[in-house]
């Protein structure tokens, strides 16, 4: 018999609408967290994941209230405790690691001091015991040399190390239950894999129960024993991780899994249509009805209950789950392999481009030069042909956005030349650039909340390039706006909306529409799907691909997600610290032999499958600056040869697959080493 | 054409909505009511004043309130009620236009500083800070004694001194917006600076600047009345609350009525503007940092 740590019974949480109605955002939640168990909670943004996690420590956000139900921690209802009682539980028995916990450490206090504060608050230990405990905790989260680490300030640690400190602080009170809200979102792939590994170790070491909230099924697959899938405030599926991810018997989970691009199955995944209903808008029937491929008449009128399936030890909320059992369609997932028409004509040519963020000294301003021996981006040589999709990959800080900004003219280059259509040199000063080249190169950004003016309607947003470049007015302008919106599958009625009245996916479509309205030759996409839910991501990727096929647009596609890149690109360039490591056709870059850095990146990719574990080959340290001499990757390279890597810039070598690798190790040796593991 | 009309309708609807939200809270409703009352009073009072505001009659000196003179008479025998309902007109007019000027120059300079950043921004802000450290009333006295106390001097002078705070707010708001990707996007498209300021920045900083302007209005009103009190604002015999308070303050112990009425007039207007500005900020969802002057 398993002992439960927390039991949630019939929990409904909601708010009072302006018209005085009660609107639930968590509906009738029933579940149990057992001792020593790690439970993953997944769902799209707005599905109620965080509200549920907060309720698990007796916290209901301002404006929300408990409509019914209870949240039992052992035999006490957390939702009925007063503040004093909760204080004794929070941090001591139940701890929480919020999103970006690592980044929110107090900047001017030493790590050791901050952990000590947590210990003072959550334990009754004496000073000497606390000092020992600090070392013990730092050891537990696998930080090297705890004594020196305790003396450091947060900014002296990498993102991954900061996150480890946050975990150490949460463990200070030896909690029975640890709640983690998107703990690895925003971290680099390699760092993320390391943090997940750490959480697994801690679960094993301490027997702490964990609740892991994330939208990322890849991360969930790596840490969870059990997975709860939420949709529109309801639990729709709850069961062991393997059964949920390998044989999902709820159409939503099924669709979600199918919309994730995977390295094991390259190509553009199908997207799930529609978006989650607004809270309170579902009056009758199944809340997934509008988007469900399996729906029938019954689903429209009746709401399914959460039903227990004995064979699978799974709870499911769907009338037709039986038809999904043994549907092995997941394996025969249909993806669209992309086949771009790439013309022979070169459209963009970067030769020897270096970019520096160093401040120009006065003299340098006069002669319009920057003296920086070690610029952020150095010696980038890339040709892009018309119609191609070139991807730039690398961890954050590797210079991907910096390169895009220079191409767009937003950042001056230090050295090198950027040419458009073979012979037209692009001025690196935006104001000196010919307007027709400005029109030819358009940008799409990561976060549509930032890239769309919140005070403009969709009409005004899309009108900008049309007015600026084509001087359209009045009736003609309006017609064109509607026409462009139609291309991104947004109906005419959207034109009067403001960005805040759109969902994440719709906002990104508006951003895409604005870029295409300029009739550009090249579109620079900077992490355009990173801020989106997976189902929406697939839809936006498919849209971008269709538009490209219609208009023959060239894309430079920046992403840190290797599976997304694999799905959409013809060619991949791998960057480390602003230096190129490897470049070649994507189908080959993903095959060994690879550059040692590519190998590290590929190893860290998280597949939504608990049986495919990431390979952690290199440390997750982060370097502040690129090294001055030798190979850019020397600081972290697991295959480093020695002095030659530190002193000499490695040569370009070409593999039999046709991709170019910049490394001192001979291709044949790399092949032998990399096929070994 | 149709487009423009639609837009006007939209703006009108938005304003209506803001006012509705403001009036939905008791404090906002009270503020709006007081303010509107004062504005209507200032516009219409000449139509129904019972007496001539400058008619001096020594025989009626310092009469207490009566059915004939509701608020009594002052030391020159003038009707206090007449003078009180007329006494806010100059103050309201001068400070309203003064605030507009403050908004205009403070807002433009603030946006400019926020936009260019770097050295120029530093230098301008230093100068502003230096100005802020001069006691404004001294500077005002200097200006007024050099150029006289006509409204044509007072409006721009007050507008100048009360614009400094607006510069800060406009600059900070611009700084917040300027790093956003939609500005980067507009620059990359090749829009001119003017177009970026007008289309991208202004709509996003407008609310913050207007709230600050409304706040400054009540400060300015207090400042203007202080000037009148000191004899540098409105010149007699024009009725003005600050001046009335100043003239009658020595007689407070035995003729309270001559002071009380203008005090109530002035403070109710300031409170009214304050409550309105507060509700305005709340309705627009802005966190106000500036504290009210009273
Ligand atoms: N405005 C800036 N000033 C100084 N350094 C910067 C600036 N923007 C980016 N950098 C630095 O340049 C490097 C590359 O950054 P970026 O191009 O944003 O990388 P990526 O897009 O690959 O994450 C990083 O080390 C980053 O810290
Ligand atoms: S109940 Fe019907 S609509 Fe809901 S998920 Fe199942 S099949 Fe789809
Ligand atoms: S050149 Fe040396 S340090 Fe660089 S990737 Fe190759 S082996 Fe590693
Ligand atoms: Mg970036």
């Amino acid at each position: 018999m398993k002992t439960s740590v927390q039991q949630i019974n019939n929990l409904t949480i909601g708010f009072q609408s302006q018209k005085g109605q009660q609107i639930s955002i968590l509906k009738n939640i029933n579940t149990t967290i057992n001792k020593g168990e790690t439970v993953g909670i997944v769902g799209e943004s707005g599905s109620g994941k965080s509200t549920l996690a907060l309720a698990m420590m007796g916290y209901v956000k301002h404006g929300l209230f408990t409509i019914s139900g209870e949240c039992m921690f052992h035999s006490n209802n957390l939702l009925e405790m007063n503040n004093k009682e909760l204080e004794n539980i929070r941090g001591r028995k139940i701890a929480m690691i919020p999103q970006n916990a690592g980044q929110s450490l107090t900047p001017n206090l030493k790590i050791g001091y901050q952990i000590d504060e947590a210990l003072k608050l959550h334990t009754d230990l004496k000073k000497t015991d606390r000092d020992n405990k600090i070392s013990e905790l730092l050891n537990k989260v696998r930080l090297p040399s705890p004594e020196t680490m305790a003396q450091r300030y947060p900014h002296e640690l990498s993102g991954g190390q900061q996150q480890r400190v946050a975990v150490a602080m949460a463990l200070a009170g030896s909690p029975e239950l640890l709640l983690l809200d998107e703990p690895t979102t925003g971290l680099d792939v390699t760092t993320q894999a390391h943090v997940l590994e750490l959480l697994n170790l801690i679960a094993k070491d301490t027997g702490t129960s964990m609740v892991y909230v994330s939208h990322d099924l890849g991360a969930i697959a790596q840490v969870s024993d059990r997975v709860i899938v939420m949709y529109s405030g309801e639990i729709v599926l709850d069961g062991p991780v393997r059964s949920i991810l390998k044989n999902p018997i709820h159409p939503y989970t099924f669709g979600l899994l199918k919309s994730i691009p995977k390295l094991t199955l390259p190509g553009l995944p199908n997207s799930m249509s529609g978006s989650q209903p607004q809270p309170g808008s579902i009056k009758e029937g199944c809340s997934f009805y509008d988007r469900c491929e399996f729906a029938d008449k019954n689903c429209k009128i009746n709401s399914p209950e959460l039903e227990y399936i004995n064979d699978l030890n799974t709870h499911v909320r769907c009338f037709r789950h039986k038809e999904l059992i043994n549907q092995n369609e997941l394996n025969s997932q249909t993806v669209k392999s992309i086949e771009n028409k790439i013309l022979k004509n070169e459209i963009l040519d970067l030769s020897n481009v270096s970019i520096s963020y160093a401040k120009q000294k006065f003299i340098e301003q006069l002669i319009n030069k920057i003296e920086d021996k070690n610029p952020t981006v150095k010696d980038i040589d890339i040709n892009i042909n018309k119609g191609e999709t070139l991807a730039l990959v690398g961890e954050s800080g590797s210079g991907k956005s910096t390169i895009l900004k220079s191409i767009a003219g937003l950042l001056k280059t230090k050295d090198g030349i950027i040419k458009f259509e073979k012979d037209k040199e692009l001025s690196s000063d935006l104001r000196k650039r010919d307007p027709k080249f400005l029109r030819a190169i358009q940008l799409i950004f990561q976060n549509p909340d930032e890239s769309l003016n919140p005070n403009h309607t969709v009409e005004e947003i899309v009108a900008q390039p049309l007015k600026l470049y084509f001087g359209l007015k009045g009736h003609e302008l309006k017609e064109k706006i509607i026409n462009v919106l139609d291309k991104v599958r947004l109906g005419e009625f959207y034109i009067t909306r403001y960005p805040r009245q759109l969902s994440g996916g719709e906002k990104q479509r508006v951003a895409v529409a604005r870029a295409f309205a300029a009739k550009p030759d090249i579109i620079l996409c900077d992490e355009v799907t990173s801020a989106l839910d997976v189902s929406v991501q697939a839809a936006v990727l498919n849209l971008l691909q269709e538009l490209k096929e219609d208009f023959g647009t060239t894309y430079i596609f920046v992403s840190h997600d290797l599976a997304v890149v694999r799905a959409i690109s013809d060619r991949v360039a791998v960057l480390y610290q602003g230096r190129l490591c490897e470049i070649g056709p994507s189908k080959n870059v993903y095959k060994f032999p690879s550059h040692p850095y590519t190998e590290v990146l590929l190893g860290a990719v998280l597949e939504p499958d608990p049986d495919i574990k990431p390979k952690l080959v290199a440390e997750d340290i982060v370097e502040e600056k690129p090294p001055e001499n030798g190979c850019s990757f020397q600081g972290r390279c697991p295959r480093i040869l020695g002095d030659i890597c530190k002193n000499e810039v490695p040569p370009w070598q070409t593999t039999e697959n046709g991709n170019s690798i910049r490394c001192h190790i001979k291709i044949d040796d790399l092949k032998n080493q990399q096929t070994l593991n | 054409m149709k487009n423009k009309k639609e837009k006007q309708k939209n703006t009108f609807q938005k304003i209506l909505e803001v006012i509705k939200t403001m009036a939905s809270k008791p404090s906002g409703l009270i503020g709006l009511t007081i303010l509107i009352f004062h504005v209507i009073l200032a516009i219409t009072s000449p139509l129904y004043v019972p007496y001539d505001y400058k008619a001096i009659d020594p025989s009626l000196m310092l009469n207490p309130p009566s059915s004939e003179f509701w608020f009594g008479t002052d030391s020159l025998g003038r009707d206090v009620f007449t003078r009180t309902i007329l006494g806010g007109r100059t103050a309201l007019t001068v400070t309203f236009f003064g605030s507009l000027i403050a908004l205009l120059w403070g807002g433009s300079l603030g946006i400019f500083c926020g936009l260019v950043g770097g050295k120029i921004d530093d230098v301008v802000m230093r100068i502003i800070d230096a100005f802020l450290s001069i006691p404004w009333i001294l500077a005002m006295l200097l200006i007024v004694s050099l150029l006289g106390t006509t409204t044509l001097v007072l409006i721009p002078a007050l507008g100048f001194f009360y614009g400094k705070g607006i510069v800060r707010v406009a600059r900070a708001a611009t700084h917040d917006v300027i790093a956003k990707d939609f500005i980067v996007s507009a620059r990359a498209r090749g829009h001119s600076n003017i177009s970026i300021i007008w289309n991208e920045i202004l709509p996003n900083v407008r609310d913050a600047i207007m709230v600050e302007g409304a706040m400054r209005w009540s400060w300015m009103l207090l400042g203007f009345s202080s000037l009148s009190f000191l004899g540098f604002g409105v010149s007699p015999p024009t009725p003005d609350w600050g001046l009335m308070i100043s003239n009658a303050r020595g007689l407070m112990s035995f003729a309270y009525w001559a002071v009380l009425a203008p005090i109530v007039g002035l403070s109710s207007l300031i409170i009214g503007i304050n409550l309105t500005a507060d509700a305005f900020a709340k309705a627009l969802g802005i966190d106000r940092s500036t504290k009210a002057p009273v």
Side-chain angles (χ1 to χ4, degrees), chain A residues 453 455-456 460 464 469, chain B residues 7 182 189 199-200 203-204:
Chain A
N453 192 329
N455 279 301
H456 287 174
E460 288 166 315
Q464 282 180 328
Y469 299 129
Chain B
K7 196 155 182 166
F182 61 82
R189 273 198 303 274
N199 291 319
E200 308 290 340
N204 288 293

Side-chain angles (χ1 to χ4, degrees), chain A residues 311-322:
Chain A
D311 300 349
L312 298 168
N313 185 20
T314 297
H315 292 271
V316 61
R317 188 188 293 275
C318 172
F319 293 123
R320 312 191 56 183
H321 64 265
K322 286 206 183 74

